mmCIF file of all heavy atoms in Angstrom:
data_model
loop_
_atom_site.group_PDB
_atom_site.id
_atom_site.type_symbol
_atom_site.label_atom_id
_atom_site.label_comp_id
_atom_site.label_asym_id
_atom_site.label_seq_id
_atom_site.Cartn_x
_atom_site.Cartn_y
_atom_site.Cartn_z
ATOM 1 N N GLY A 196 48.766 45.881 140.364
ATOM 2 C CA GLY A 196 50.090 45.386 140.034
ATOM 3 C C GLY A 196 51.042 46.452 139.544
ATOM 4 O O GLY A 196 52.207 46.174 139.290
ATOM 5 N N ARG A 197 50.569 47.688 139.405
ATOM 6 C CA ARG A 197 51.444 48.729 138.873
ATOM 7 C C ARG A 197 52.271 49.349 139.982
ATOM 8 O O ARG A 197 51.817 49.448 141.110
ATOM 9 C CB ARG A 197 50.573 49.833 138.294
ATOM 10 C CG ARG A 197 49.927 49.436 137.007
ATOM 11 C CD ARG A 197 49.979 50.594 136.131
ATOM 12 N NE ARG A 197 49.085 50.538 135.033
ATOM 13 C CZ ARG A 197 49.428 51.010 133.847
ATOM 14 N NH1 ARG A 197 50.607 51.519 133.674
ATOM 15 N NH2 ARG A 197 48.585 50.964 132.869
ATOM 16 N N PRO A 198 53.477 49.811 139.668
ATOM 17 C CA PRO A 198 54.279 50.481 140.690
ATOM 18 C C PRO A 198 53.973 51.976 140.732
ATOM 19 O O PRO A 198 54.113 52.670 139.742
ATOM 20 C CB PRO A 198 55.710 50.244 140.217
ATOM 21 C CG PRO A 198 55.606 50.048 138.757
ATOM 22 C CD PRO A 198 54.216 49.588 138.431
ATOM 23 N N TRP A 199 53.567 52.465 141.867
ATOM 24 C CA TRP A 199 53.269 53.871 142.052
ATOM 25 C C TRP A 199 54.402 54.518 142.845
ATOM 26 O O TRP A 199 55.296 53.857 143.342
ATOM 27 C CB TRP A 199 51.957 54.047 142.819
ATOM 28 C CG TRP A 199 50.755 53.648 142.065
ATOM 29 C CD1 TRP A 199 50.373 52.377 141.763
ATOM 30 C CD2 TRP A 199 49.754 54.500 141.522
ATOM 31 N NE1 TRP A 199 49.209 52.392 141.048
ATOM 32 C CE2 TRP A 199 48.806 53.691 140.896
ATOM 33 C CE3 TRP A 199 49.575 55.870 141.503
ATOM 34 C CZ2 TRP A 199 47.683 54.192 140.254
ATOM 35 C CZ3 TRP A 199 48.457 56.378 140.870
ATOM 36 C CH2 TRP A 199 47.524 55.552 140.259
ATOM 37 N N MET A 200 54.299 55.827 142.968
ATOM 38 C CA MET A 200 55.291 56.553 143.742
ATOM 39 C C MET A 200 54.537 57.413 144.733
ATOM 40 O O MET A 200 53.562 58.074 144.365
ATOM 41 C CB MET A 200 56.064 57.467 142.803
ATOM 42 C CG MET A 200 57.330 57.978 143.346
ATOM 43 S SD MET A 200 58.627 57.445 142.285
ATOM 44 C CE MET A 200 60.017 57.954 143.179
ATOM 45 N N ILE A 201 54.960 57.387 145.995
ATOM 46 C CA ILE A 201 54.312 58.238 146.998
ATOM 47 C C ILE A 201 55.202 59.446 147.192
ATOM 48 O O ILE A 201 56.414 59.308 147.387
ATOM 49 C CB ILE A 201 54.187 57.493 148.327
ATOM 50 C CG1 ILE A 201 53.386 56.244 148.129
ATOM 51 C CG2 ILE A 201 53.531 58.374 149.357
ATOM 52 C CD1 ILE A 201 53.097 55.558 149.403
ATOM 53 N N ASN A 202 54.633 60.620 147.143
ATOM 54 C CA ASN A 202 55.403 61.839 147.355
ATOM 55 C C ASN A 202 54.844 62.562 148.563
ATOM 56 O O ASN A 202 53.638 62.694 148.701
ATOM 57 C CB ASN A 202 55.272 62.781 146.150
ATOM 58 C CG ASN A 202 55.589 62.093 144.872
ATOM 59 O OD1 ASN A 202 56.586 61.412 144.766
ATOM 60 N ND2 ASN A 202 54.737 62.242 143.891
ATOM 61 N N VAL A 203 55.734 63.025 149.424
ATOM 62 C CA VAL A 203 55.325 63.820 150.574
ATOM 63 C C VAL A 203 55.927 65.201 150.366
ATOM 64 O O VAL A 203 57.124 65.331 150.124
ATOM 65 C CB VAL A 203 55.847 63.196 151.878
ATOM 66 C CG1 VAL A 203 55.510 64.084 153.042
ATOM 67 C CG2 VAL A 203 55.243 61.838 152.080
ATOM 68 N N ILE A 204 55.086 66.207 150.439
ATOM 69 C CA ILE A 204 55.574 67.571 150.223
ATOM 70 C C ILE A 204 55.621 68.267 151.571
ATOM 71 O O ILE A 204 54.608 68.412 152.246
ATOM 72 C CB ILE A 204 54.648 68.326 149.248
ATOM 73 C CG1 ILE A 204 54.682 67.657 147.888
ATOM 74 C CG2 ILE A 204 55.111 69.762 149.085
ATOM 75 C CD1 ILE A 204 53.482 66.899 147.529
ATOM 76 N N ALA A 205 56.803 68.682 151.936
ATOM 77 C CA ALA A 205 56.990 69.350 153.220
ATOM 78 C C ALA A 205 57.106 70.855 152.994
ATOM 79 O O ALA A 205 57.383 71.312 151.888
ATOM 80 C CB ALA A 205 58.250 68.824 153.902
ATOM 81 N N GLU A 206 56.906 71.592 154.048
ATOM 82 C CA GLU A 206 56.971 73.042 153.932
ATOM 83 C C GLU A 206 58.426 73.481 153.879
ATOM 84 O O GLU A 206 59.268 72.992 154.625
ATOM 85 C CB GLU A 206 56.275 73.666 155.148
ATOM 86 C CG GLU A 206 56.402 75.153 155.255
ATOM 87 C CD GLU A 206 55.692 75.896 154.145
ATOM 88 O OE1 GLU A 206 54.902 75.272 153.419
ATOM 89 O OE2 GLU A 206 55.939 77.091 153.987
ATOM 90 N N THR A 207 58.741 74.364 152.959
ATOM 91 C CA THR A 207 60.126 74.809 152.788
ATOM 92 C C THR A 207 60.193 76.314 152.999
ATOM 93 O O THR A 207 59.181 76.993 153.082
ATOM 94 C CB THR A 207 60.622 74.485 151.383
ATOM 95 O OG1 THR A 207 59.689 75.032 150.453
ATOM 96 C CG2 THR A 207 60.725 73.002 151.177
ATOM 97 N N TYR A 208 61.391 76.806 153.026
ATOM 98 C CA TYR A 208 61.547 78.233 153.301
ATOM 99 C C TYR A 208 61.802 79.035 152.029
ATOM 100 O O TYR A 208 61.172 80.044 151.788
ATOM 101 C CB TYR A 208 62.702 78.425 154.284
ATOM 102 C CG TYR A 208 62.827 79.836 154.776
ATOM 103 C CD1 TYR A 208 61.919 80.344 155.698
ATOM 104 C CD2 TYR A 208 63.836 80.674 154.316
ATOM 105 C CE1 TYR A 208 62.018 81.646 156.141
ATOM 106 C CE2 TYR A 208 63.936 81.963 154.761
ATOM 107 C CZ TYR A 208 63.031 82.447 155.679
ATOM 108 O OH TYR A 208 63.141 83.732 156.113
ATOM 109 N N TYR A 209 62.739 78.582 151.200
ATOM 110 C CA TYR A 209 63.113 79.366 150.019
ATOM 111 C C TYR A 209 62.227 79.008 148.840
ATOM 112 O O TYR A 209 61.730 77.901 148.730
ATOM 113 C CB TYR A 209 64.570 79.085 149.660
ATOM 114 C CG TYR A 209 65.520 79.506 150.741
ATOM 115 C CD1 TYR A 209 66.124 78.573 151.568
ATOM 116 C CD2 TYR A 209 65.815 80.854 150.947
ATOM 117 C CE1 TYR A 209 66.985 78.966 152.564
ATOM 118 C CE2 TYR A 209 66.676 81.242 151.935
ATOM 119 C CZ TYR A 209 67.266 80.304 152.740
ATOM 120 O OH TYR A 209 68.116 80.688 153.718
ATOM 121 N N THR A 210 62.070 79.947 147.911
ATOM 122 C CA THR A 210 61.200 79.676 146.773
ATOM 123 C C THR A 210 61.788 78.625 145.854
ATOM 124 O O THR A 210 61.057 77.889 145.207
ATOM 125 C CB THR A 210 60.948 80.928 145.930
ATOM 126 O OG1 THR A 210 62.163 81.653 145.829
ATOM 127 C CG2 THR A 210 59.869 81.771 146.531
ATOM 128 N N HIS A 211 63.121 78.524 145.764
ATOM 129 C CA HIS A 211 63.608 77.504 144.847
ATOM 130 C C HIS A 211 63.518 76.110 145.436
ATOM 131 O O HIS A 211 63.856 75.146 144.784
ATOM 132 C CB HIS A 211 65.022 77.803 144.349
ATOM 133 C CG HIS A 211 65.997 78.104 145.429
ATOM 134 N ND1 HIS A 211 66.480 79.368 145.646
ATOM 135 C CD2 HIS A 211 66.570 77.317 146.341
ATOM 136 C CE1 HIS A 211 67.326 79.342 146.651
ATOM 137 N NE2 HIS A 211 67.399 78.112 147.096
ATOM 138 N N GLN A 212 63.025 76.006 146.652
ATOM 139 C CA GLN A 212 62.725 74.681 147.177
ATOM 140 C C GLN A 212 61.261 74.326 146.965
ATOM 141 O O GLN A 212 60.777 73.346 147.524
ATOM 142 C CB GLN A 212 62.998 74.639 148.680
ATOM 143 C CG GLN A 212 64.450 74.679 149.049
ATOM 144 C CD GLN A 212 64.586 74.788 150.555
ATOM 145 O OE1 GLN A 212 63.962 75.641 151.178
ATOM 146 N NE2 GLN A 212 65.367 73.916 151.126
ATOM 147 N N LYS A 213 60.562 75.103 146.146
ATOM 148 C CA LYS A 213 59.116 74.928 146.018
ATOM 149 C C LYS A 213 58.733 73.551 145.522
ATOM 150 O O LYS A 213 57.743 72.983 145.920
ATOM 151 C CB LYS A 213 58.614 75.993 145.042
ATOM 152 C CG LYS A 213 57.128 76.091 144.914
ATOM 153 C CD LYS A 213 56.753 77.363 144.172
ATOM 154 C CE LYS A 213 57.457 77.401 142.849
ATOM 155 N NZ LYS A 213 56.592 77.656 141.712
ATOM 156 N N ASP A 214 59.516 72.975 144.595
ATOM 157 C CA ASP A 214 59.126 71.690 144.014
ATOM 158 C C ASP A 214 59.834 70.532 144.674
ATOM 159 O O ASP A 214 59.969 69.473 144.081
ATOM 160 C CB ASP A 214 59.460 71.688 142.507
ATOM 161 C CG ASP A 214 58.722 72.789 141.790
ATOM 162 O OD1 ASP A 214 57.529 72.944 142.055
ATOM 163 O OD2 ASP A 214 59.343 73.484 140.975
ATOM 164 N N ASP A 215 60.309 70.741 145.884
ATOM 165 C CA ASP A 215 60.983 69.646 146.587
ATOM 166 C C ASP A 215 59.967 68.625 147.033
ATOM 167 O O ASP A 215 58.947 68.969 147.611
ATOM 168 C CB ASP A 215 61.682 70.199 147.835
ATOM 169 C CG ASP A 215 63.079 70.668 147.519
ATOM 170 O OD1 ASP A 215 63.464 70.592 146.344
ATOM 171 O OD2 ASP A 215 63.780 71.097 148.442
ATOM 172 N N MET A 216 60.283 67.353 146.779
ATOM 173 C CA MET A 216 59.366 66.297 147.179
ATOM 174 C C MET A 216 60.165 65.159 147.749
ATOM 175 O O MET A 216 61.233 64.856 147.261
ATOM 176 C CB MET A 216 58.627 65.768 145.955
ATOM 177 C CG MET A 216 57.480 66.618 145.548
ATOM 178 S SD MET A 216 56.416 65.853 144.368
ATOM 179 C CE MET A 216 57.541 65.179 143.208
#
Side-chain angles (χ1 to χ4, degrees):
Chain A
R197 287 220 198 217
W199 291 72
M200 196 120 187
I201 301 187
N202 308 312
V203 176
I204 296 107
E206 173 66 13
T207 53
Y208 188 74
Y209 297 105
T210 40
H211 51 252
Q212 289 174 310
K213 188 167 55 129
D214 300 315
D215 272 2
M216 279 192 314

